[in-house]
Amino acid sequence: MTTAEQTWTGRWVAERAGVALTGSERLPELVGLALRSGNPRRAHLLVSSVLGKHVPQRPAVVHGAGLELGRRVRELLGAEAAARAVVLGYAETATGLGHSVADGLDAPCLHSTRRPVPGITPLGGFEEEHSHVTGHLLLPADPGLLAGGGPLVLVDDEFSTGRTILNTIRALHTRYPRDHYVLVTLVDLRSADDRALLAGTAAELGAKLDVVATASGAVELPGDIVRRAERLIASASPAGPPPAATPAPLVRVELDWPAGLPDGGRHGFTVRDRARLDAALPALAGQLAEALPDSAERVLVLGCEELMYAPLRLADALAERLGGDRVRYSTTTRSPVLAVDDPGYAIRTRLAFPAHDDPQDDGSRERYAYNVAPGTDPSRRFDAVVLVVDDVADTPALYRGERALLGQLRQVTDRVVLAVLPSHRPAASVPSADLAAASVPSAVSPSASGSSAVSPSLPLPLPLPLPAPLPAPLYGPAFSSYRAEEVAWLLKDLSDVPLEVPTEEREEAVQNGGAHYAESLPVEYQPSPEYQELFHQALRGSAGRIALAVGTVAETLLRERGPGLVLASLARAGTPVGILIRRWLAFAHDLTVPHYAVSIVRGRGIDPVALRYLAAHHRAADVVFVDGWTGKGAITRELADALAGTGFDPDLAVLADPGRCVRTYGTRDDFLIPSACLNSTVSGLVSRTVLRAGLIGPADFHGAKYYAELAGGDVSAAFLDTVASCFTAVRAAAAEEADRLAADPDRAPDWAGWAAVERISEEYGIGNVNLVKPGVGETTRVLLRRVPWRVLARRGAGADLDHVRLLAAQRGVAVEEVDGLPYTCVGLIHPRYSRGATGASGRAVTGRES
């Protein structure tokens, strides 16, 4: 017996179940054997070593196998017919292979799907008779993709009987008749009767049928194969992976996936799409490489069921980036297969996990990842696993519980990197154009000899509508003093634009209706030494309290939204809070989550371009909007109105909710959060956000400035580090508080703060609730950035108001102690302000005005 025979991964089944392969000498190097479980139609499984489904393989080998088949099809068809061809791959196993054949053929691609997509009417469907899950749907965004009349190239990983191909041809030919079909596969194992049946059907339909295969042969099965397989499965005792002492870190990497680029061929994938992906791959691979440890010598890129092609191309690009022989590729699957840890068996190990793509009831709620765990052979262990899913599959079930896929992956490797691609959601169908023709770069196609030949039958290409390009985020240290990994600012840099207006001029213009507050900026300043010391005293006194609030919010979000959450802080006050929540999740759960800062403007809504960016890179339901505190709830209402109908969750998460207007909070006490004491110097040296015509166009993020010149007084990092240093001390208390809040019937908002503001506005004759700023944080902002009239303080309020009293004295503002105030303090902006009423200095009058 030769070495090749000894190590063939079909030996175990061949010897015990009496299964044999005959035909091409290449068959044993292309496939091994395993036993299916739970499939009464077929007991054995041919396990491809080059498909990248069950057996991790070098991505260049996987992609290359399809490319070679595609080139052979192109040679068979000739240039003119190849230019009109369309490729159809079969879900789930052959979606990546179908794409790869289309790459070699240079043709558009579609693959069948088992996932119904809301809003997309199936063009048709057919059955795969031997499969564990049989139904296939065809969901092209443009039905014209299949209506062009050119050759249809049908791609599957193996032809066993040809019945799936026959069902497809019959289903499509009645609606889109054509005269040429090409069947493409890695291994053709049809019997003579099966071949005759398929050829006869093609002749009946008046169509030509060609077959292109890497290898051909037959599978010889004993008559009692099902009974033999059942005995073998019953006697096997596959062991799961031993639990790791400490789960591996989970790192979520945000890939800059090109906007509008399909993640696969579920709705069609054109030549133009392929060119866009090719151009983006080097940068995408670079992002993945940065998330991997330098020590990782064996890396697996793991796709997800039908999502095979994009992970394959990412794996191939990552392999080129890392060099050497360090990267392998495979995907998860719906097919249940017995695992036997034997070198002569194709499926050595199995991870079984709950379905996490919220599938329809297809009878299979369990999913599998094969040969990912090392089993008894430590040389097969991967140092890192990169899991690539689309946003539909990025659900809490991917994370929660010991059996969840991510939880199991963290037991069998040293690092898990999660990359989530936006699942393509096609817009309205491309009008009247044959997508195959529209996707070619011109009406001039290469001839068989390599020269160009004009093809009059091909229409000139029609441009496909693409969304407006999205701007790129800003990162520190080029923009802000925060580290780049702490926050991505979805803002436009206006640092060189003069936007500062003296406070009194700004207040007069805003109140007279001549300007919106977001069209200019207050003058930033270096705080006095006395005031800086007040900030540090406040920070030392409240760091533990803030840390507890941070932990409570983070634990609540994790319980209710799952670890796939994406933080979007409302710039700028929410940004340090978002960073602290992100740090807590890393500290307490070894979880890395993305964090963005976005702009929201009262009366104008949230930045729509920022929402487009978030929707293009994440599942909208995973995005959590974060702020520091609530006052009366105006921004809470603004956010809810702006997000209506967008798919984003309007539930704002804050550290302190004295206004009682949100349900996700750390506390409802009105206490000093020291980041409210200062302006940019505690917020990464970033200004308030700006929205002004002439500066911000329809394709721009809202703007802001970076005050690098104030670096000498920057305490942004000190604030974060001081609070984070208290995390260990409050960890248990935060978990307990999150549990208490989860069971608290009084957690729902009652908007008591808004009612108090309306009462104060009426009692003091202000007549405008926007000029009443409740809470310590909002009062501080009034004293720093507006023209204050007076401060109402709860009688007996202590050190929490030291900085308010100091600022009020500097501005000449009376602090009036009152009873029955639901907040610690309330700041009143001067009503009906003009410089004539208060003097050019802007010092507020002290007597009550009606």
Side-chain angles (χ1 to χ4, degrees):
M1 184 175 288
T2 66
T3 302
E5 290 173 329
Q6 289 174 345
T7 58
W8 177 46
T9 58
R11 187 191 63 199
W12 193 94
V13 173
E15 292 176 351
R16 288 165 176 79
V19 179
L21 294 183
T22 62
S24 171
E25 293 182 356
R26 291 198 63 190
L27 277 179
E29 67 184 60
L30 292 175
V31 295
L33 293 172
L35 297 178
R36 299 175 185 260
S37 56
N39 187 340
R41 296 178 177 89
R42 184 182 292 181
H44 71 285
L45 176 70
L46 290 174
V47 181
S48 173
S49 60
V50 299
L51 184 65
K53 171 55 76 171
H54 305 86
V55 178
Q57 177 58 275
R58 290 187 294 119
V61 171
V62 178
H63 194 217
L67 288 174
E68 175 59 27
L69 287 168
R71 295 183 186 116
R72 289 175 56 189
V73 173
R74 185 172 187 84
E75 182 179 352
L76 170 73
L77 293 176
E80 191 277 333
R84 296 184 294 114
V86 176
V87 175
L88 173 62
Y90 286 94
E92 64 176 47
T93 307
T95 59
L97 180 63
H99 266 287
S100 300
V101 169
D103 289 353
L105 179 57
D106 198 25
C109 178
L110 175 73
H111 69 69
S112 66
T113 180
R114 293 189 174 113
R115 178 195 290 176
V117 177
I120 303 296
T121 302
L123 183 68
F126 52 91
E127 293 296 308
E128 184 177 2
E129 296 177 4
H130 66 265
S131 175
H132 181 73
V133 183
T134 61
H136 288 252
L137 299 172
L138 295 179
L139 304 176
D142 176 25
L145 179 62
L146 295 173
L152 181 62
V153 181
L154 301 109
V155 181
D156 209 349
D157 60 310
E158 66 171 85
F159 294 160
S160 53
T161 66
R163 298 296 175 86
T164 302
I165 296 287
L166 179 62
N167 292 338
T168 308
I169 292 175
R170 287 194 178 281
L172 290 176
H173 197 82
T174 55
R175 186 167 184 176
Y176 302 118
R178 56 196 356 108
D179 58 12
H180 198 175
Y181 295 92
V182 182
L183 315 185
V184 179
T185 187
L186 291 170
V187 291
D188 182 2
L189 303 174
R190 292 173 298 149
S191 68
D193 290 343
D194 291 328
R195 294 169 188 261
L197 177 61
L198 193 60
T201 301
E204 174 190 331
L205 299 176
K208 182 181 179 182
L209 186 148
D210 287 305
V211 177
V212 176
T214 303
S216 60
V219 181
E220 296 181 352
L221 302 171
D224 60 346
I225 178 61
V226 173
R227 184 168 54 83
R228 293 190 189 196
E230 289 175 347
R231 286 202 307 265
L232 289 170
I233 292 171
S235 63
S237 55
T246 303
L250 171 62
V251 177
R252 185 176 177 124
V253 60
E254 301 306 316
L255 296 181
D256 292 326
W257 188 258
L261 177 65
D263 56 312
R266 181 178 290 113
H267 307 296
F269 196 87
T270 70
V271 174
R272 180 180 293 141
D273 294 329
R274 188 176 304 120
R276 292 186 67 205
L277 177 59
D278 289 344
L281 280 172
L284 296 172
Q287 292 178 286
L288 291 178
E290 290 177 2
L292 294 170
D294 294 337
S295 59
E297 290 298 322
R298 278 178 51 83
V299 177
L300 174 67
V301 176
L302 185 65
C304 179
E305 297 186 33
E306 294 174 12
L307 185 65
M308 295 186 68
Y309 179 69
L312 170 61
R313 299 299 310 281
L314 287 169
D316 204 8
L318 181 62
E320 291 187 15
R321 173 92 179 199
L322 297 181
D325 189 27
R326 298 168 62 183
V327 179
R328 294 294 184 271
Y329 157 81
S330 65
T331 77
T332 65
T333 176
R334 298 184 179 206
S335 300
V337 185
L338 174 70
V340 178
D341 198 359
D342 185 289
Y345 189 83
I347 303 296
R348 300 282 297 273
T349 62
R350 176 173 103 160
L351 301 179
F353 52 92
H356 56 88
D357 59 346
D358 196 21
Q360 301 294 315
D361 184 14
D362 58 11
S364 175
R365 298 291 297 177
E366 195 169 58
R367 304 293 188 256
Y368 310 93
Y370 296 114
N371 294 318
V372 174
T376 57
D377 183 356
S379 68
R380 300 172 66 246
R381 188 177 191 276
F382 291 105
D383 302 316
V385 176
V386 178
L387 177 63
V388 182
V389 302
D390 65 5
D391 54 22
V392 175
D394 182 29
T395 65
L398 181 62
Y399 307 82
R400 288 180 179 166
E402 295 181 357
R403 293 192 64 243
L405 175 56
L406 283 175
Q408 294 200 59
L409 292 177
R410 294 176 69 185
Q411 298 289 332
V412 299
T413 188
D414 297 329
R415 178 174 298 185
V416 177
V417 176
L418 175 64
V420 180
L421 305 184
S423 180
H424 184 53
R425 295 163 176 84
S429 297
V430 181
S432 69
D434 177 3
L435 198 62
S439 64
V440 298
S442 72
V444 179
S445 59
S447 68
S449 63
S451 60
S452 295
V454 178
S455 303
S457 60
L458 286 178
L460 289 174
L462 297 177
L464 295 178
L466 294 175
L470 288 165
L474 302 173
Y475 298 92
F479 184 88
S480 91
S481 60
Y482 293 133
R483 299 196 305 269
E485 66 271 18
E486 302 240 72
V487 59
W489 300 88
L490 301 187
L491 295 173
K492 180 179 181 180
D493 189 355
L494 301 178
S495 299
D496 296 331
V497 180
L499 292 166
E500 290 75 16
V501 176
T503 300
E504 292 72 33
E505 290 182 27
R506 193 166 177 266
E507 189 67 50
E508 185 172 20
V510 169
Q511 290 203 30
N512 289 339
H516 190 279
Y517 77 92
E519 294 177 347
S520 63
L521 292 172
V523 178
E524 293 271 350
Y525 64 94
Q526 289 278 13
S528 67
E530 181 185 18
Y531 189 76
Q532 287 190 59
E533 179 53 32
L534 261 182
F535 163 81
H536 288 291
Q537 287 179 10
L539 179 57
R540 289 191 293 268
S542 62
R545 193 176 184 184
I546 298 168
L548 177 58
V550 169
T552 301
V553 172
E555 294 295 329
T556 299
L557 290 174
L558 198 58
R559 285 161 170 73
E560 297 187 348
R561 304 290 289 274
L565 55 86
V566 177
L567 301 175
S569 59
L570 302 183
R572 67 184 168 181
T575 303
V577 176
I579 294 175
L580 285 169
I581 293 174
R582 185 179 183 274
R583 286 192 181 187
W584 179 279
L585 293 171
F587 152 77
H589 300 281
D590 201 15
L591 182 65
T592 301
V593 302
H595 174 217
Y596 301 91
V598 302
S599 169
I600 188 170
V601 176
R602 194 187 70 240
R604 304 282 180 86
I606 199 164
D607 184 345
V609 181
L611 285 186
R612 275 184 54 215
Y613 185 96
L614 292 172
H617 291 79
H618 304 282
R619 202 168 65 111
D622 291 335
V623 177
V624 178
F625 293 91
V626 175
D627 208 355
W629 56 85
T630 64
K632 57 183 172 290
I635 289 297
T636 306
R637 292 185 172 186
E638 189 81 42
L639 182 67
D641 291 343
L643 297 181
T646 64
F648 289 94
D649 190 334
D651 186 16
L652 184 65
V654 299
L655 291 192
D657 179 36
R660 300 182 65 89
C661 52
V662 301
R663 63 182 304 276
T664 305
Y665 54 86
T667 179
R668 278 183 165 157
D669 294 341
D670 183 19
F671 73 103
L672 173 62
I673 298 175
S675 58
C677 291
L678 300 170
N679 285 321
S680 66
T681 51
V682 78
S683 302
L685 300 181
V686 174
S687 73
R688 290 195 57 151
T689 58
V690 174
L691 178 58
R692 192 168 90 187
L695 292 177
I696 308 301
D700 292 331
F701 294 136
H702 291 185
K705 298 184 72 167
Y706 170 37
Y707 293 113
E709 66 274 15
L710 298 182
D714 187 20
V715 293
S716 304
F719 171 71
L720 297 173
D721 293 344
T722 301
V723 174
S725 69
C726 300
F727 283 174
T728 301
V730 303
R731 182 173 183 174
E736 292 174 2
E737 184 64 10
D739 289 338
R740 186 192 67 78
L741 287 175
D744 186 358
D746 295 328
R747 184 178 164 197
D750 60 15
W751 296 88
W754 189 278
V757 166
E758 289 180 326
R759 176 180 57 78
I760 291 169
S761 176
E762 181 178 356
E763 180 181 341
Y764 281 79
I766 296 173
N768 184 351
V769 293
N770 289 332
L771 301 181
V772 180
K773 302 295 186 180
V776 177
E778 292 302 307
T779 300
T780 302
R781 288 179 166 192
V782 169
L783 293 167
L784 287 173
R785 299 203 297 256
R786 305 294 292 270
V787 175
W789 183 33
R790 68 186 64 227
V791 172
L792 309 181
R794 182 191 297 155
R795 194 176 306 281
D800 273 351
L801 293 188
D802 285 350
H803 77 292
V804 169
R805 295 186 182 97
L806 175 61
L807 283 175
Q810 291 175 346
R811 298 295 302 271
V813 176
V815 177
E816 179 181 337
E817 292 198 346
V818 297
D819 296 313
L821 199 63
Y823 298 91
T824 303
C825 63
V826 176
L828 305 183
I829 297 173
H830 196 292
R832 296 171 294 281
Y833 171 77
S834 71
R835 279 165 287 179
T838 63
S841 69
R843 295 170 67 87
V845 297
T846 57
R848 180 179 300 186
E849 299 175 5
S850 61

